Amino acid sequence: MDNEAVNTSEENTIEESISEENANDEENQLEIETPQERKAREEREARERAFRAKKRRLIPPLIMLSAGAITSITMRILHYDTKTMLIILLCVLIGFYIAGCVIKSMLDKFEKQIEEADMEEGEVIEKELAEEDKRR
C-alpha cells in the first residue's frame, strides 16, 4: 500500500515536470529573436566553434607523443639496441600521428553534421513562424 502511494506521487511529479518542460518549449518557440540577439548568438557560437577547433588541433600530437613515450619506455625496459629502437619509434610516431589526424577529422565531421542539423532545425522553426504570421 505504501509503495503504491509513493509510486503514484513519483509518477505525478514526473508528469508535472514533463508538462512544465513542454510549456517552456512552447514559450521558447513563441519568442521571436531580434536581429541583434541573432547576431550575438551567432558570434558566440562562432567563438565556441573556434575554441573547440583549437583544442582538437592538439589531438594528433598528444596521441603521437603518448604512444612514443610508451613505446620508448617499453623498448628501454626490454633492452633493445639503439638503432632498432629508433626505427621502431619513428614508425610508431608516424603511425599514431596519422591515427590522431583521422580521429581529429572524424570529430570535425561529426561537429559539422551536428551544426547542419541545428541549422535545418532553426530554418524549420523560422518557416513555421513565418507561415503563422501570414495566416494572421
Side-chain angles (χ1 to χ4, degrees), residues 7 74 79 81:
N7 288 341
T74 304
H79 304 291
D81 62 302

Side-chain angles (χ1 to χ4, degrees), residues 80-101:
Y80 276 73
D81 62 302
T82 306
K83 184 177 179 182
T84 307
M85 189 168 145
L86 289 175
I87 292 170
I88 293 172
L89 184 60
L90 179 65
C91 294
V92 167
L93 290 175
I94 291 171
F96 277 93
Y97 184 76
I98 292 170
C101 288

Side-chain angles (χ1 to χ4, degrees), residues 20-33:
E20 289 175 4
E21 289 175 5
N22 290 339
N24 289 339
D25 289 343
E26 291 172 4
E27 290 175 7
N28 290 339
Q29 288 178 354
L30 294 177
E31 295 176 8
I32 297 176
E33 196 174 50

Side-chain angles (χ1 to χ4, degrees), residues 59-73 89 92-93 96:
I59 291 174
L62 178 69
I63 291 173
M64 176 188 72
L65 292 175
S66 300
I70 292 169
T71 303
S72 61
I73 291 169
L89 184 60
V92 167
L93 290 175
F96 277 93

Side-chain angles (χ1 to χ4, degrees), residues 8-69:
T8 306
S9 64
E10 289 176 358
E11 291 172 1
N12 290 340
T13 306
I14 292 171
E15 290 173 1
E16 290 173 3
S17 66
I18 290 172
S19 64
E20 289 175 4
E21 289 175 5
N22 290 339
N24 289 339
D25 289 343
E26 291 172 4
E27 290 175 7
N28 290 339
Q29 288 178 354
L30 294 177
E31 295 176 8
I32 297 176
E33 196 174 50
T34 64
Q36 293 88 7
E37 291 173 341
R38 177 179 292 179
K39 184 177 179 183
R41 178 180 51 82
E42 289 173 353
E43 289 174 357
R44 186 181 66 245
E45 289 174 353
R47 283 193 310 267
E48 290 173 359
R49 281 192 303 274
F51 180 71
R52 284 192 301 268
K54 236 186 236 187
K55 288 191 331 188
R56 274 194 309 274
R57 191 183 74 207
L58 297 175
I59 291 174
L62 178 69
I63 291 173
M64 176 188 72
L65 292 175
S66 300

